[in-house]
Amino acid sequence: MTIASSSPPSRLPTGGAAEARSKPRTGRIEAGEDRGDGRLAALFIAPALLGFVVFLLWPTLRGIYLSFTRYNLLTPAEWVGLDNYVRMVNDPIFWDSLKVTVEYVVINIGIQTVAALAIAVLLQRLTQSAMLRGIVLTPYLMSNVVAGLVWLWILDTQLGIGNEIISAVGVDRIPFLADETWAIPTIALINVWRHVGYTALLLFAGLQAIPNDMYEAARVDGASEWRMFWRITMPLLRPVLAVVLIMTVIGSFQVFDTVAVTTAGGPANATNVLQYYIYGSAFGRFQFGYASAMSVALLLVLSAITILQYRLTRAGRTDLG
Amino acid sequence: MAAVTTTTPTSVRPVRRRFSFGRAAAWTVMGLIVLITLLPFYWILRTALSTNAGLNADPTNPLPVDLTTSGFERALGMQSAEEAVTQGGAGGGLDFWRYLLNSVLVSTLITGCQLFFSAMAAYAFSRLRWRGRDTVFGLFLAGMMVPAIFTLLPNFVLIKQLHLVDTLLGIALPTMFMTPFAVFFLRQFFMNIPREVEEAALLDGAGKVKIFFRVVLPMASTPIVTLGVLTYITSWNDYFWPLMVSYSDSSRVLTVALAIFRAQTPATGVDWSGLMAATLIAALPMLVLFACFARRIVSSIGFTGIK
């Protein structure tokens, strides 16, 4: 648009794209070749930049500001300094919800990672079937609400098929979602069901980068599948595994939907995860300032975990080069 | 190791070997995983096609008990209140057709706009030269680190001040223009388009805008479709944000409606048959969408998650 062109009206080379695909890829445009893209770039970036500033950058700054205020949506925010943070530190429900959230994350991530790794390795070593990969992904297409409702029904104490099977085997029925001890592990497992396939596919993609000859060479040397897993798969997958772990842990900390439709925080706050407590403070009790302070706390926890995980697993370095 | 890498493609089909106990065990585990993955879907269908009375009388029957479509009729608001109550449903019906339409509108709006605007930004970040480009892109990348929950409350306050609470636009707005991830994802692909293609088009007199629409977008159609389907699924399944923003039928989407349907428990107990029918209505469009694009998505999903 801003580039004036002296050549006659355009005519795109037919088949040019296909032909060019086979040529070596060159990446970004070299400096100095295209001047005057500034106005066009501004035009192209404008909508995304608007969205970024209005709905991401500004809310982040505003959230931090709101955490230092008392705000109920109706009257203007009133600056109260560190009051919300002092209240948070002294709020036993906050610490309880943090504890419950951590318990959820540990169970959810622990089981999900092991299961996803097992599925990914089976998909790599046993069969490369695209159909199986598709099947494994289907629960991911469901919303957390749907997943929650389906398992609520399957695990229903009176009529659920899960409990029917348990009692047929001779074990007492378990009130999975109505019992303080069982509720969090049950919710964690429901979310494993929904997310494990997606995580497995991410790991599977990482496994695909490991050259097959390494396994062949190891087999010639008489290595067992078990040994190959520990000596080849795990070391080479480590960087990918680290990235996937950081992503899933961050996602896992934000559990809300499943809790909202299955237990609504109960019984007796046993599943009152942090995000649910934040939601309740904001929309149940209209304490937007306090809810914001807890969001800041969650943000700090997540940042600390990300940095720590990154350091511990040396995610930045890859063994495959 | 690097020398080995170059000799063979990595995704070779594993060689078929003779029977071993290890492989049999591995296949058994795989079968079990498939079973656990798929059985709940069958159980939704089986329950949705049963009557509530039948479910109470015969909870373990693997087939639908008293095969009927009354659960679906209730979910879609096709039954009168009295009829619904006698079938074990709640009297106040929900209009799932409307929520279905709302979900389609919101998801389509978000996906269409987000893809287009993100692609434009990604093009500016990858193929145009301008001052401050890397700085702005760095800012976008940093935006990926901010967890969604953190921006939800301030965004709600903003949407409220814009008087867009309880509108479909209010639900769509925060993710309509971009997500840092979408920009980042598309930029990766645009960077890999060979410069020669662009040069040829430039020589032919095409402007940068024309190159974007006629060359870059068509060449990146596969990643765009993948990103589009994933965006559609994500916005379709979103619950927290629509729950905050919508209060009435006019902006209610399926996920929120489902949770309300569940909360409307009649005195006699949960209307499982109606609830599972509603669940199926909410989930079916995504299953169909996935079935259409499954192969493409499954093979490119690794790319979407990790660079």
Side-chain angles (χ1 to χ4, degrees):
Chain A
M1 185 183 287
T2 48
I3 312 255
S5 161
S6 53
S7 26
S10 73
R11 195 169 19 81
L12 289 181
T14 43
E19 178 192 315
R21 248 176 226 150
S22 55
K23 289 182 186 169
R25 311 199 145 183
T26 48
R28 61 176 73 199
I29 301 167
E30 301 307 321
E33 277 184 21
D34 305 87
R35 280 167 313 236
D37 282 348
R39 279 171 62 190
L40 182 66
L43 192 77
F44 264 56
I45 200 121
L49 197 62
L50 178 82
F52 178 79
V53 171
V54 176
F55 294 106
L56 193 58
L57 186 63
W58 172 241
T60 302
L61 300 174
R62 199 176 192 187
I64 295 171
Y65 166 74
L66 284 178
S67 74
F68 295 106
T69 66
R70 186 178 298 128
Y71 185 42
N72 63 5
L73 273 185
L74 301 172
T75 49
E78 175 198 344
W79 183 269
V80 292
L82 286 172
D83 277 14
N84 287 322
Y85 290 95
V86 173
R87 177 179 163 194
M88 185 170 81
V89 174
N90 294 315
D91 180 358
I93 304 179
F94 168 75
W95 291 109
D96 260 3
S97 71
L98 194 61
K99 203 189 87 193
V100 168
T101 311
V102 170
E103 189 192 336
Y104 166 83
V105 171
V106 169
I107 300 173
N108 177 253
I109 295 297
I111 295 176
Q112 175 170 298
T113 308
V114 172
L117 196 56
I119 295 172
V121 170
L122 286 176
L123 283 176
Q124 182 209 21
R125 304 295 299 148
L126 204 57
T127 163
Q128 300 259 337
S129 156
M131 197 178 128
L132 267 181
R133 273 181 276 160
I135 289 175
V136 163
L137 194 63
T138 40
Y140 182 73
L141 310 174
M142 304 296 102
S143 61
N144 286 320
V145 176
V146 166
L149 290 176
V150 171
W151 285 98
L152 189 68
W153 164 227
I154 290 177
L155 299 175
D156 185 76
T157 321
Q158 298 309 316
L159 299 171
I161 186 69
N163 259 315
E164 289 291 340
I165 293 171
I166 288 176
S167 68
V169 180
V171 182
D172 280 345
R173 287 169 188 268
I174 303 169
F176 286 99
L177 288 155
D179 182 275
E180 285 184 38
T181 11
W182 283 99
I184 277 289
T186 306
I187 291 174
L189 283 174
I190 291 173
N191 283 335
V192 167
W193 178 76
R194 173 158 130 73
H195 290 281
V196 73
Y198 188 72
T199 312
L201 281 193
L202 295 181
L203 294 177
F204 175 77
L207 291 177
Q208 292 293 86
I210 300 175
N212 213 28
D213 341 23
M214 297 193 66
Y215 292 103
E216 296 304 329
R219 197 191 319 281
V220 171
D221 289 347
S224 64
E225 281 286 340
W226 187 246
R227 198 176 162 80
M228 286 192 276
F229 172 76
W230 287 109
R231 290 300 173 84
I232 302 174
T233 307
M234 279 308 271
L236 292 180
L237 191 64
R238 203 204 60 227
V240 175
L241 195 59
V243 175
V244 169
L245 258 178
I246 292 174
M247 280 172 33
T248 49
V249 168
I250 288 181
S252 181
F253 257 97
Q254 301 182 51
V255 55
F256 174 84
D257 308 354
T258 322
V259 171
V261 297
T262 54
T263 62
N269 278 345
T271 59
N272 191 14
V273 290
L274 196 49
Q275 183 139 309
Y276 198 76
Y277 189 42
I278 294 174
Y279 173 77
S281 300
F283 292 92
R285 297 177 286 283
F286 295 102
Q287 300 162 345
F288 275 77
Y290 188 48
S292 297
M294 289 193 285
S295 304
V296 172
L298 182 59
L299 180 67
L300 291 179
V301 170
L302 290 181
S303 309
I305 290 173
T306 309
I307 294 168
L308 194 73
Q309 259 185 340
Y310 200 79
R311 286 276 167 79
L312 284 179
T313 51
R314 292 168 294 148
R317 286 206 274 142
T318 163
D319 290 348
L320 266 181
Chain B
M1 193 162 71
V4 185
T5 329
T6 49
T7 49
T8 355
T10 52
S11 54
V12 187
R13 209 165 238 287
V15 196
R16 236 167 237 300
R17 282 177 296 277
R18 266 172 288 136
F19 175 86
S20 77
F21 279 108
R23 282 181 70 77
W27 273 111
T28 312
V29 172
M30 198 70 226
L32 213 63
I33 290 165
V34 168
L35 208 66
I36 295 171
T37 305
L38 293 184
L39 265 189
F41 291 99
Y42 173 71
W43 211 243
I44 299 178
L45 185 67
R46 173 262 183 195
T47 309
L49 291 173
S50 305
T51 59
N52 280 311
L55 290 175
N56 278 303
D58 193 1
T60 51
N61 193 334
L63 295 172
V65 198
D66 310 335
L67 189 69
T68 172
T69 55
S70 91
F72 287 96
E73 287 164 23
R74 215 149 48 245
L76 292 172
M78 287 154 67
Q79 282 181 349
S80 67
E82 304 83 56
E83 213 180 339
V85 171
T86 49
Q87 300 276 344
L94 290 175
D95 187 358
F96 270 81
W97 287 115
R98 173 162 210 161
Y99 314 134
L100 188 69
L101 182 68
N102 282 345
S103 276
V104 169
L105 288 176
V106 166
S107 304
T108 308
L109 186 65
I110 291 178
T111 306
C113 292
Q114 191 196 103
L115 274 190
F116 184 63
F117 293 142
S118 297
M120 278 168 62
Y123 180 66
F125 280 131
S126 59
R127 319 294 303 194
L128 298 177
R129 300 206 59 80
W130 43 288
R131 261 200 302 162
R133 186 177 75 170
D134 294 345
T135 316
V136 178
F137 185 67
L139 204 64
F140 269 62
L141 276 190
M144 276 209 284
M145 310 289 170
V146 180
I149 166 76
F150 194 70
T151 51
L152 285 180
L153 291 181
N155 268 337
F156 174 77
V157 175
L158 182 68
I159 292 293
K160 181 151 179 82
Q161 282 165 350
L162 292 172
H163 300 290
L164 287 174
V165 168
D166 209 19
T167 63
L168 293 178
L169 188 63
I171 297 177
L173 217 47
T175 44
M176 223 171 87
F177 295 99
M178 56 92 66
T179 61
F181 174 72
V183 175
F184 174 78
F185 177 80
L186 290 174
R187 177 178 170 269
Q188 291 292 101
F189 282 99
F190 292 174
M191 297 236 295
N192 284 335
I193 293 173
R195 203 171 81 218
E196 288 81 357
V197 182
E198 240 176 342
E199 279 168 355
L202 274 174
L203 282 179
D204 271 6
K208 289 281 168 95
V209 177
K210 197 156 198 168
I211 290 175
F212 173 66
F213 283 105
R214 294 289 179 77
V215 181
V216 173
L217 284 187
M219 281 184 77
S221 62
T222 299
I224 288 174
V225 167
T226 302
L227 183 64
V229 174
L230 288 176
T231 309
Y232 208 89
I233 291 171
T234 309
S235 44
W236 185 275
N237 287 340
D238 196 13
Y239 174 67
F240 199 3
W241 176 249
L243 176 69
M244 280 179 162
V245 176
S246 79
Y247 293 119
S248 70
D249 274 1
S250 64
S251 71
R252 192 161 288 153
V253 293
L254 275 173
T255 44
V256 180
L258 259 184
I260 292 174
F261 195 93
R262 139 100 176 109
Q264 283 185 349
T265 306
T268 45
V270 183
D271 173 13
W272 288 115
S273 147
L275 189 59
M276 288 302 117
T279 304
L280 200 60
I281 294 167
L284 203 58
M286 290 309 99
L287 288 171
V288 172
L289 185 72
F290 180 67
C292 297
F293 295 100
R295 194 164 272 276
R296 247 197 257 201
I297 294 167
V298 159
S299 54
S300 58
I301 208 132
F303 199 95
T304 68
I306 324 154
K307 299 133 233 201

